[in-house]
Amino acid sequence: MKNKMKINHIKQRTRNRKNIFLLFAAIIACALVSSCDEDKPDDIGGTDVAFGITYKNSGGIEMDSLLPADYICSFPQQGGSLYFYVESNVGKWKLSPGEGHETWVEIWPAEGKGDGRFGIKATPNTSAYPRDYSINLLNSAGQVMGSIPVYQDPAPPSLAINYSTTPKFVSSLGETFVVKVTANIAWQATSNDSWITIGEVTDSTQQIVIGQNPAVQREGSITFSMIGVDQSVTMYIKQLDLANDFSNATKVTVADLLSRVGPSGVGTINDNLYIEGYVISDRSKQALAKTQMIVQDESNKGVWIEFTNADDNTFNLNDKVKVHMYGASFILDTSSKASKVESFSPSFVHDATPTSGITPIEITELVNLAQYENALVTLKEVEFPLPFGTYVNITETYYNKKPANWTATAEPFADDTDNYGHLVRDKKGNIIRMYTNPAFLDRFKILMPWGSGSLTGIVMKRVKNNATSYFIRIRNNEDNKVSADKNTALSRDIMQLGPWPNNTVALSSITAYIGTGTLKYTGRVNQNVLTSSSAEAFYYVASQARMAPVELNPDGTPTIAYNNNLSYWGINTQYWWGNPSSSISGGSSGEAWVITTSTMNATGPGAVYLQFNSSSSTSGPAHFTVEWAEAENTPFNQWNHVANYTVCDINNSQQLMQYVFKLPDAVKGKSNLVIRLRVNSQERATLNGSNIGTSGTNRLGFIRITQLKN
């Protein structure tokens, strides 16, 4: 007896069934038909198989449509899902990948019995080539009863190389280097000049060999072409002549070199010059990107050099080097807007010799740091006013990524996901930040120390929200000599709230860990803290700050993977605007955190500071005012203004950013001091013009009020 598959003509009929499969786009029909001449096993109950697709017609009525034999299941480049039904009397059946199977197609469920349903999902196609696939339907004996052809459109062709349009300078003696190619299509490199040779090639790299130049400076190019598409990228090369070779270069100081570039930080060195200095960056700890090297000399100036490839940077901390600067192109870094040399060739770095390094510049006050940009300094006596977590307290699954809800409008107020900033304070109260990045291999080495001491690192510049600031970046944990002994701190505690070590203890109120004080919210009568999300109370949210150090594996991942139980917790609450339960606005304006404490022990000349960390949800509040009074029921217009600040949307920063405010001397000696962090604008934290949502939240992770001891 022979198996047969009956081909059904297209027909439609209404069915009364639950809408369990939804189509995400216009229905693209698929059909499955073929025949098999194998003998039918006795346990197969029939031979008829038909396939169709479920959709809703213009009247919203669910319809089933059987499909003809010549249809192909087609997906757009972006991918998507389609859902099908089976009418069958072959008993048990299974869908199995056929020839050309790839992981880009998923089938669910992959088996059934009699009549049934299944879905096909295609992931986005990043290749410039279309792809196809075949899904086989098998009966219980494993016989192929038919196939579904699947097709997906290609992505637009693309090709990029890791060099800009600025010409790459190469030595007159010649050199060999590698160009990294990112493409979704087959490509080839072609030399446009006889002295440029195309070397070994892989799917993503192209070796280039430059011969010795016997005559004058020359220019050439290489074309990287997409095969089958009339598109290409050109790389330009300039090779020095002997007159401009390193052997004939004139030595200058880094200070002299930078003066030739000028205050804009942008320009090209057209004279045959070289500098001699010390590598002050530590590539082994990845405090900077692997492509970055900073060289400083005795003029107390440093220069930021950016290699094209990480493999080009083979120079170690404290190496003394001579750097040929002829043709060096200074640009402004896209992120920080600081000046750097781009696309630098390692063949321009000569005579690297290990040494004990350059002596850091000692600084006793955190002022006028612009003069030390890209130089190694030691901050002599400093403390961390908010010693929270480890060096990097960023959501670990979002390192260097832009979350889906990232907004460009909030970016000026965010540290994004590629830097974490700890506050650093000197004994006179001057404040800067110490930034570390998620690639830093000492990022979980210690918990932040509570005492004081010296801090060594590189002074670097950044422009954020049209404001220029200077910060310090340590190179390794050994640069941090701040003591863990709290008795050595430059300030003393008046009051501390948090950080909270777990989220399993419900609280009737939030009270101080150190000193006396409470934390309240003006939007409700009850001030209790719950262990799960609630619109009626405070609740805990993880602060993404580890409570204990952890070592790293050789691949840079922590030996103990992060989970929220390893993190400190913050206090979260919602309904920040128009809250009818408000105790300050009657529902007509913004709500406030209310911090109550006593400053009777705050005597002497030392300044008093409020410091905390905070973030908001996507629809939470952005703009706050810090203000104080001696009673919580002080009339609205009689509160004393301290400062305004903007809190970042957590989806931009994936961290609780740190804030510090110097309080006026008038707050000293108060038996009852009340500080409000009050929302002063209806704009939400995405800063895109939308209003705060009723479920939008703000979070505080750690609050301290301190007084300098001097």
Side-chain angles (χ1 to χ4, degrees), residues 453-605:
S454 65
L455 192 65
T456 298
I458 302 171
V459 174
M460 303 191 76
K461 171 186 175 180
R462 80 168 188 167
V463 178
K464 196 79 168 177
N465 201 21
N466 297 317
T468 300
S469 62
Y470 293 86
F471 64 91
I472 189 169
R473 190 179 293 279
I474 62 171
R475 303 162 301 168
N476 46 57
N477 184 55
E478 288 70 32
D479 279 342
N480 182 4
K481 302 299 183 184
V482 175
S483 172
D485 183 359
K486 191 173 183 179
N487 292 321
T488 68
L490 304 179
S491 61
R492 59 186 182 85
D493 287 306
I494 293 174
M495 188 272 291
Q496 177 183 324
L497 290 157
W500 291 268
N502 61 66
N503 69 330
T504 59
V505 180
L507 302 173
S508 59
S509 62
I510 303 174
T511 57
Y513 285 3
I514 297 175
T516 60
T518 60
L519 176 67
K520 297 180 180 179
Y521 165 63
T522 59
R524 65 175 60 90
V525 176
N526 294 326
Q527 300 293 324
N528 54 319
V529 181
L530 302 182
T531 59
S532 60
S533 176
S534 171
E536 306 300 326
F538 296 118
Y539 58 93
Y540 296 104
V541 178
S543 293
Q544 310 299 328
R546 288 178 179 258
M547 294 186 289
V550 63
E551 295 296 324
L552 300 183
N553 293 308
D555 65 356
T557 59
T559 54
I560 302 175
Y562 175 85
N563 66 71
N564 285 342
N565 291 327
L566 300 176
S567 170
Y568 288 111
W569 294 81
I571 300 295
N572 216 41
T573 196
Q574 57 185 259
Y575 212 156
W576 284 92
W577 195 274
N579 189 335
S581 300
S582 174
S583 63
I584 62 171
S585 67
S588 62
S589 63
E591 301 307 317
W593 296 104
V594 180
I595 303 165
T596 302
T597 189
S598 168
T599 57
M600 291 299 292
N601 63 343
T603 59

Side-chain angles (χ1 to χ4, degrees), residues 77-393:
Q77 177 268 327
Q78 296 85 354
S81 300
L82 294 174
Y83 300 98
F84 304 87
Y85 66 87
V86 182
E87 290 185 347
S88 169
N89 64 353
V90 300
K92 293 182 179 180
W93 50 265
K94 180 170 69 172
L95 294 164
S96 176
E99 184 178 354
H101 167 62
E102 300 288 348
T103 57
W104 58 273
V105 171
E106 297 179 17
I107 311 165
W108 186 89
E111 58 186 29
K113 182 177 181 180
D115 293 351
R117 293 180 178 274
F118 64 92
I120 300 176
K121 178 181 178 181
T123 60
N125 184 5
T126 58
S127 169
Y129 302 104
R131 51 190 181 183
D132 51 36
Y133 173 82
S134 180
I135 298 174
N136 292 332
L137 181 105
L138 310 178
N139 63 21
S140 60
Q143 297 171 322
V144 177
M145 303 294 291
S147 297
I148 302 176
V150 181
Y151 170 89
Q152 187 173 22
D153 291 330
S158 64
L159 183 148
I161 61 175
N162 62 332
Y163 283 89
S164 69
T165 56
T166 302
K168 173 181 171 61
F169 278 79
V170 297
S171 168
S172 64
L173 301 177
E175 64 179 88
T176 298
F177 60 91
V178 171
V179 178
K180 292 186 177 180
V181 181
T182 303
N184 68 353
I185 190 171
W187 56 272
Q188 63 182 6
T190 305
S191 170
N192 301 317
D193 300 272
S194 60
W195 51 275
I196 301 174
T197 301
I198 303 300
E200 296 179 358
V201 63
T202 70
D203 288 342
S204 59
T205 63
Q206 177 64 68
Q207 184 188 66
I208 305 297
V209 181
I210 309 296
Q212 185 172 352
N213 184 5
V216 298
Q217 180 172 299
R218 55 189 179 182
E219 299 182 11
S221 63
I222 305 161
T223 300
F224 293 82
S225 304
M226 305 182 198
I227 296 176
V229 179
D230 188 20
Q231 296 182 42
S232 62
V233 174
T234 301
M235 177 183 179
Y236 299 94
I237 295 175
K238 284 187 178 181
Q239 187 174 28
L240 305 181
D241 56 8
L242 286 175
N244 288 308
D245 193 73
F246 172 66
S247 59
N248 293 313
T250 300
K251 179 181 177 181
V252 296
T253 65
V254 174
D256 186 6
L257 180 78
L258 297 177
S259 70
R260 295 169 186 251
V261 179
S264 70
V266 176
T268 301
I269 302 300
N270 295 313
D271 298 320
N272 191 17
L273 307 174
Y274 79 94
I275 59 173
E276 184 174 20
Y278 299 85
V279 177
I280 60 172
S281 48
D282 185 359
R283 68 185 181 92
S284 70
K285 291 294 186 177
Q286 298 180 33
L288 294 171
K290 293 180 181 180
T291 55
Q292 296 172 359
M293 176 177 76
I294 299 181
V295 175
Q296 178 187 340
D297 68 2
E298 284 77 4
S299 69
N300 285 342
K301 297 292 183 180
V303 59
W304 172 358
I305 295 172
E306 186 95 23
F307 295 102
T308 305
N309 301 309
D311 293 341
D312 293 341
N313 185 7
T314 60
F315 308 101
N316 298 319
L317 175 64
N318 297 330
D319 278 356
K320 190 173 185 179
V321 293
K322 296 176 181 177
V323 186
H324 192 198
M325 300 303 297
Y326 177 73
S329 175
F330 283 79
I331 64 168
L332 298 184
D333 179 65
T334 303
S335 176
S336 68
K337 305 300 186 291
S339 179
K340 68 178 183 181
V341 180
E342 69 161 343
S343 302
F344 204 71
S345 172
S347 64
F348 278 45
V349 182
H350 301 268
D351 302 338
T353 305
T355 73
S356 58
I358 197 167
T359 302
I361 305 163
E362 292 190 354
I363 296 177
T364 57
E365 288 189 53
L366 305 182
V367 294
N368 301 321
L369 294 185
Q371 62 185 310
Y372 305 117
E373 182 180 351
N374 294 326
L376 186 67
V377 302
T378 294
L379 313 180
K380 285 298 292 179
E381 197 173 357
V382 294
E383 68 174 1
F384 297 105
L386 203 67
F388 183 66
T390 60
Y391 286 119
V392 177
N393 300 318

Side-chain angles (χ1 to χ4, degrees), residues 3-80:
N3 277 338
K4 295 181 180 179
M5 179 170 293
K6 185 171 77 175
I7 301 175
N8 291 270
H9 296 290
I10 296 178
K11 59 182 178 178
Q12 294 184 343
R13 55 195 163 187
T14 302
R15 296 200 171 194
N16 181 18
R17 57 165 63 95
K18 293 182 179 179
N19 182 21
I20 58 174
F21 294 102
L22 299 177
L23 293 181
F24 298 142
I27 301 301
I28 300 177
C30 295
L32 168 60
V33 288
S34 71
S35 62
C36 181
D37 292 330
E38 301 293 333
D39 289 338
K40 180 175 75 69
D42 293 338
D43 63 344
I44 297 179
T47 61
D48 290 343
V49 175
F51 292 83
I53 196 161
T54 302
Y55 69 100
K56 286 186 177 181
N57 66 13
S58 59
I61 300 174
E62 188 178 272
M63 307 292 291
D64 283 345
S65 179
L66 291 173
L67 304 170
D70 57 349
Y71 275 64
I72 295 176
C73 183
S74 181
F75 288 98
Q77 177 268 327
Q78 296 85 354

Side-chain angles (χ1 to χ4, degrees), residues 686-706:
T686 50
L687 300 177
N688 60 0
S690 299
N691 290 339
I692 300 168
T694 56
S695 61
T697 64
N698 181 255
R699 181 190 325 176
L700 293 176
F702 184 16
I703 307 159
R704 292 184 80 198
I705 298 177
T706 57

